[in-house]
Amino acid sequence: MKFNTKAIHGGQHHEEHTGAVMPPVFQTSTFAQKSPGVLINGYEYSRGANPTRTALENALASIENGARGLAFSSGLAATDCVMKLLKPNDEVIAMDDLYGGTYRMFTRIYQDMGIKFHFVDMNDLDKFQSLINENTKLVWVETPTNPLMKVVDIAAIAKITKAKNILFAVDNTFATPYLQRPIDLGADIVMHSATKYLGGHSDVIAGALIIKDAELGDKMHFLQFATGATLGPQDSYLVLRGIKTLHLRVQRHSENGQKVAEYLAKHPKVAKVYYPGLENHPNHDIAKKQMSGQFGGMVSFTFKSGAKADAIKFLEDLKVFTLAESLGGVESLANHPALMTHASIPEPKRKEIGITDDLVRLSVGIEDADDLINDIEQAFS
Ligand SMILES: Cc1ncc(COP(=O)(O)O)c(C=O)c1O
């Protein structure tokens, strides 16, 4: 099956008792048993499994080409489940540009538990390889990254991690499986903030893991079941419903994102545009190779003035774009990473990686592109 068909039918079947085309929201905590320990249809207690969540998890596995999908109560809960595979003294090599909450979890929770983190731009493969030692257990990549839209060559990293038997996880939130499928490129685990494009309508907080190997998938299901950060049936339904239009939405997000990025690149008030679909993006060639011909709806930029006040005024004056955290919904959102999504990264570290105070991040929605560009123009003026 091709992606557009999988988005709608992958891992799905109609409900057996009524023929309902969409799975009902099985709003139940527990399931009756025939005899102690003898289950009616495999379901026991909804922390372990719930039929609505199962339908979503099967869809997730299908669209990312993994053996197993798991749905979590947030993206960070999904990341946390991966971290639970590690032990003290294990080492993690992570991309230097990451969602602020991921950085916060790594440095303020797991570092204190004895896990060592190295943050590096993995476009420098020599530097990346020089950090690998016998304690290296996990490589964690976002591509494109949040908020600087760096692109990392997934297949090149996978070749190295495979040879050294290191787990390789990719946060695929920005690209979505419509544009990029990390498991096909050699990754072991794909993570999503399903709050974003998978849900797609800014109405749910959810996370996902898709695991390439069935045995590792069972282990991760055990970790999830034993610690409890599962997604409820209503939210599972919403994410499943979102996935059914993922391909259509991401096509339009990408068309609009490209138009907005090209407009910004020519604007006299703009210093730098971060968008992998622009030919002058440092890794445009890698993006072209590993993404499917489009580059998504996330665009960041800085001001020629370099002034934080200009970025703030611009954000206050937008009318169609909403100033808000989050991304990936049908409506356009705008964000100031240093004050909002990435405020949890200490200022010196933010400055070091390039999250400046005049950086604005746009989540370009699926409205009419002309209206979005007109809105940006009036905010500039
Ligand atoms: C790239 C990325 N990964 C992970 C997360 C965390 O996801 P959640 O907010 O669903 O916990 C986010 C949230 O913004 C994100 O942008």
Side-chain angles (χ1 to χ4, degrees):
M1 260 197 264
K2 294 200 172 151
F3 187 88
N4 297 352
T5 313
K6 277 189 180 180
I8 295 163
H9 298 291
Q12 305 304 301
H13 51 80
H14 59 254
E15 200 267 327
E16 58 194 59
H17 298 295
T18 62
V21 170
M22 277 300 279
V25 178
F26 282 93
Q27 196 71 49
T28 184
S29 57
T30 192
F31 299 84
Q33 304 192 7
K34 283 187 208 155
S35 175
V38 182
L39 310 181
I40 292 175
N41 211 352
Y43 291 97
E44 184 175 25
Y45 183 63
S46 282
R47 175 159 35 74
N50 171 286
T52 317
R53 193 165 78 240
T54 303
L56 168 61
E57 290 176 337
N58 291 341
L60 290 166
S62 169
I63 57 175
E64 285 282 11
N65 293 339
R68 178 115 194 206
L70 294 172
F72 291 81
S73 53
S74 70
L76 284 183
T79 302
D80 184 62
C81 188
V82 178
M83 299 314 291
K84 289 195 171 93
L85 292 168
L86 304 177
K87 297 186 304 303
N89 298 322
D90 284 349
E91 296 191 15
V92 178
I93 305 176
M95 190 61 191
D96 62 346
D97 186 34
L98 291 177
Y99 165 59
T102 307
Y103 181 84
R104 178 177 54 207
M105 181 195 296
F106 288 179
T107 55
R108 291 182 52 193
I109 297 179
Y110 284 99
Q111 200 159 270
D112 286 351
M113 292 168 126
I115 292 163
K116 188 166 175 188
F117 291 86
H118 305 271
F119 296 97
V120 62
D121 185 340
M122 289 179 209
N123 284 301
D124 185 344
L125 283 178
D126 291 339
K127 191 156 180 208
F128 164 62
Q129 278 182 285
S130 75
L131 293 169
I132 296 176
N133 62 45
E134 72 271 22
N135 294 331
T136 310
K137 295 288 152 51
L138 174 69
V139 169
W140 185 275
V141 162
E142 270 178 30
T143 179
T145 62
N146 182 1
L148 294 171
M149 307 302 295
K150 288 186 183 177
V151 169
V152 182
D153 189 335
I154 297 173
I157 301 282
K159 213 168 148 198
I160 297 164
T161 53
K162 202 166 282 170
K164 306 251 177 194
N165 211 13
I166 299 167
L167 266 185
F168 178 25
V170 176
D171 179 339
N172 204 30
T173 300
F174 269 35
T176 83
Y178 176 69
L179 297 178
Q180 171 178 285
R181 287 181 287 282
I183 288 176
D184 291 353
L185 298 166
D188 301 299
I189 300 173
V190 172
M191 176 265 158
H192 278 276
S193 170
T195 313
K196 310 297 177 350
Y197 289 102
L198 297 187
H201 296 76
S202 304
D203 52 9
V204 63
I205 296 284
L209 292 180
I210 300 93
I211 302 108
K212 181 182 185 173
D213 173 66
E215 207 177 308
L216 180 62
D218 288 347
K219 187 170 174 184
M220 304 214 64
H221 175 254
F222 168 77
L223 288 172
Q224 183 195 37
F225 164 69
T227 56
T230 53
L231 193 65
Q234 177 73 31
D235 288 347
S236 296
Y237 176 87
L238 287 173
V239 177
L240 181 63
R241 179 182 163 118
I243 287 173
K244 288 178 191 285
T245 55
L246 180 67
H247 48 305
L248 296 174
R249 287 184 288 105
V250 177
Q251 270 168 34
R252 179 61 69 84
H253 280 292
S254 301
E255 285 164 21
N256 286 358
Q258 185 77 35
K259 285 183 189 163
V260 166
E262 285 173 8
Y263 157 81
L264 288 169
K266 290 196 200 108
H267 201 282
K269 289 193 177 167
V270 171
K272 194 163 178 193
V273 182
Y274 301 85
Y275 186 70
L278 293 179
E279 273 176 21
N280 67 356
H281 184 285
N283 297 118
H284 178 64
D285 287 346
I286 299 171
K288 261 202 324 211
K289 186 181 72 170
Q290 71 186 13
M291 299 175 82
S292 48
Q294 290 187 302
F295 305 93
M298 298 305 298
V299 184
S300 299
F301 70 94
T302 54
F303 285 75
K304 262 205 186 121
S305 65
K308 180 180 184 179
D310 280 352
I312 291 175
K313 183 81 177 97
F314 171 85
L315 289 164
E316 287 171 352
D317 286 351
L318 288 167
K319 293 190 168 64
V320 180
F321 281 81
T322 302
L323 173 59
E325 301 229 0
S326 203
L327 60 105
V330 289
E331 65 287 293
S332 292
L333 300 180
N335 161 59
H336 188 276
L339 291 174
M340 297 165 67
T341 46
H342 292 70
S344 55
I345 299 178
E347 192 180 349
K349 183 76 190 164
R350 278 203 311 265
K351 295 262 147 72
E352 185 191 314
I353 56 181
I355 304 177
T356 54
D357 288 347
D358 65 331
L359 181 77
V360 165
R361 189 193 75 188
L362 301 176
S363 169
V364 180
I366 63 170
E367 301 94 336
D368 190 284
D370 290 343
D371 289 331
L372 299 178
I373 288 172
N374 288 339
D375 190 35
I376 296 171
E377 184 59 41
Q378 67 78 29
F380 273 135
S381 60

